Amino acid sequence: MALRKGPRIEDAVIGTFVVLALLYPLLVTLLIYLQEKEETSEEVDILRTTYLFVTGLEDCSPETASRIAQFMEEELLQKLGGIAGLVDLCRRSKALTAGSVTVEEDIQREGNRTLLRVHVKVRERGVVRRKLLLDLKAVRDAEGFRIEEVSYAEGR
């Protein structure tokens, strides 16, 4: 019997699967990176920090409140009571969100406007006892990024 020297179709199919198997981790990493890059931005991070602070899920320090206040419009900051009012709101909310918490975000972008809608569900012994709904509206313009509105509602 003579040995065939040319490549066979079976060899090409097996070789293709081997190459795809070796490239699979790189392709998955690339897809994850591209997907996270679209959703994450500096503005969304600022809005996340704001809602975590307002709901009491983060440290209620005046330093964090002053960082958040940098990005708020003056009218909104005065309406909330300044930095001291933000800290007070955080401390009151911390008592409401004690327990197991589930957070759901919905980010909507329209041109230079960003709306972040957040549903916070507080569970006690596996049962939802309290629901919080936050709407954060922000805009990016020539002056920079600023938070225009923070709507906060509580339900059971």
Side-chain angles (χ1 to χ4, degrees), residues 1 21 48 57 80-81 90 92 98-99 133-134 139 149:
M1 292 202 155
R48 282 187 180 128
L57 298 174
L80 293 173
C90 179
R92 281 184 283 142
L133 175 65
L134 277 93
V139 67
E149 183 180 339

Side-chain angles (χ1 to χ4, degrees), residues 54-56 60 80 85 87-97 152:
V54 169
T55 57
C60 296
L80 293 173
V87 172
D88 186 48
L89 177 62
C90 179
R91 289 183 180 152
R92 281 184 283 142
S93 297
K94 192 177 266 308
L96 295 175
T97 57
Y152 180 75

Side-chain angles (χ1 to χ4, degrees), residues 6-133:
R8 303 170 85 186
I9 293 175
E10 295 88 6
D11 294 336
V13 170
I14 291 173
T16 303
F17 281 114
V18 169
V19 169
L20 289 175
L22 293 174
L23 292 178
Y24 178 76
L26 296 174
L27 293 174
V28 170
T29 304
L30 179 66
L31 288 174
I32 291 171
Y33 174 75
L34 292 175
Q35 189 175 30
E36 285 181 356
K37 186 177 179 183
E38 290 175 1
E39 295 177 2
T40 306
S41 69
E42 182 181 348
E43 291 132 7
V44 175
D45 289 340
I46 292 167
L47 291 174
R48 282 187 180 128
T49 303
T50 303
Y51 85 72
L52 288 172
F53 187 81
V54 169
T55 57
L57 298 174
E58 192 173 293
D59 181 35
C60 296
S61 68
E63 293 82 20
T64 307
S66 64
R67 260 186 307 158
I68 292 170
Q70 293 177 45
F71 298 102
M72 287 188 172
E73 284 191 347
E74 288 295 323
E75 293 176 16
L76 176 62
L77 189 58
Q78 289 175 358
K79 182 180 166 184
L80 293 173
I83 294 174
L86 280 172
V87 172
D88 186 48
L89 177 62
C90 179
R91 289 183 180 152
R92 281 184 283 142
S93 297
K94 192 177 266 308
L96 295 175
T97 57
S100 177
V101 177
T102 304
V103 178
E104 297 174 7
E105 292 181 359
D106 180 32
I107 302 169
Q108 299 172 0
R109 294 187 183 189
E110 218 177 272
N112 61 349
R113 295 192 174 278
T114 305
L115 171 67
L116 179 63
R117 180 165 282 198
V118 181
H119 295 274
V120 179
K121 297 176 184 175
V122 181
R123 298 178 184 273
E124 292 177 12
R125 297 183 188 152
V127 178
V128 176
R129 295 290 180 195
R130 178 170 283 121
K131 295 179 184 176
L132 305 172
L133 175 65

